[in-house]
Amino acid sequence: MLLQIEQLETFYGASQALFGVDLSIAKGEVLALMGRNGMGKTTTISSVFGLNPAKRGKVVFNGTDITKQKPYKIARLGLGLVPEGRRCFPNLTVNENLLASARHGEWTIEGVRKLFPRLEERGQQSAQTLSGGEQQMLAVGRALMTNPELIVLDEATEGLAPVIRQEIWKAIRALKNTGQSIIVVDKTLSELLPVADQCVILEKGVTVWRGTPDNLDADVQERYLGV
Ligand code: ATP
């Protein structure tokens, strides 16, 4: 397994948010991390990246126990994050944002520009002047520039215009085709399910369902994802 999470329990101060999250993803897989609002998706991701480390349970990446590891060390091991809300460096240009995170590997700035041609057009612009969609492309590009073995996208297309959403999904499909391992959180099931190899559903900080998109039938959807 590339990433294995076992019985993760994470807190915000005294308040417990995760009560037992399990998931595992093999190399080359796309995993859809699902669940209604507030069920623990972002907290799970924060725990994996060491931003809010788990109090109990275990996170193993490529054979290394990273449960209590520092975020920068986790990133160096080959985990790339596209956080909710994007968080590019606002005062740096697009090019600077990309180059700032570059690490040796197959992904270069040219590759990122091929994936998102808009980023080439906007190369000299500061990140804060980009549209939300362009910022998301930049956030994905920046994560790719670290040449991650596993890239994690939290709310991949939230708040973006439909045309831009399509571009992001297209890029995710292209990444999958290169064999990139991906964990993705998104509410658009019609786009998410076709690209996913497996789904993990959280409810109240617990993994309550794991399976393939084919098995995620209407009952499961209504029970765990329905509004
Ligand atoms: P969303 O899609 O709304 O972001 P989510 O599934 O990612 O939902 P989390 O953001 O992980 O869910 O939230 C899980 C639980 O942790 C919720 O009960 C939430 O209220 C709580 N929580 C999240 N962030 C904090 C925080 N900074 N301080 C305290 N509690 C928090």
Side-chain angles (χ1 to χ4, degrees), residues 12 15 17 35-44 84 155 187:
Y12 291 96
S15 152
R36 294 189 191 95
N37 285 345
M39 292 304 175
K41 304 177 297 291
T42 299
T43 305
T44 299
E84 198 176 7
E155 300 291 359
K187 292 189 180 70

Side-chain angles (χ1 to χ4, degrees), residues 10-13 15-18 34-46 52 84 154-155 158 185 187 202 204-205:
T10 301
F11 292 70
Y12 291 96
S15 152
Q16 187 163 2
L18 302 187
M34 309 170 82
R36 294 189 191 95
N37 285 345
M39 292 304 175
K41 304 177 297 291
T42 299
T43 305
T44 299
I45 293 169
S46 306
N52 184 6
E84 198 176 7
D154 193 1
E155 300 291 359
E158 191 171 67
V185 174
K187 292 189 180 70
L202 304 185
K204 297 186 180 149

Side-chain angles (χ1 to χ4, degrees), residues 81-108:
L81 176 61
V82 181
E84 198 176 7
R86 328 201 224 283
R87 310 223 182 90
C88 303
F89 298 113
N91 299 317
L92 297 187
T93 66
V94 168
N95 289 343
E96 286 165 348
N97 264 282
L98 292 173
L99 294 170
S101 69
R103 278 179 46 208
H104 186 71
E106 279 181 25
W107 280 100
T108 59

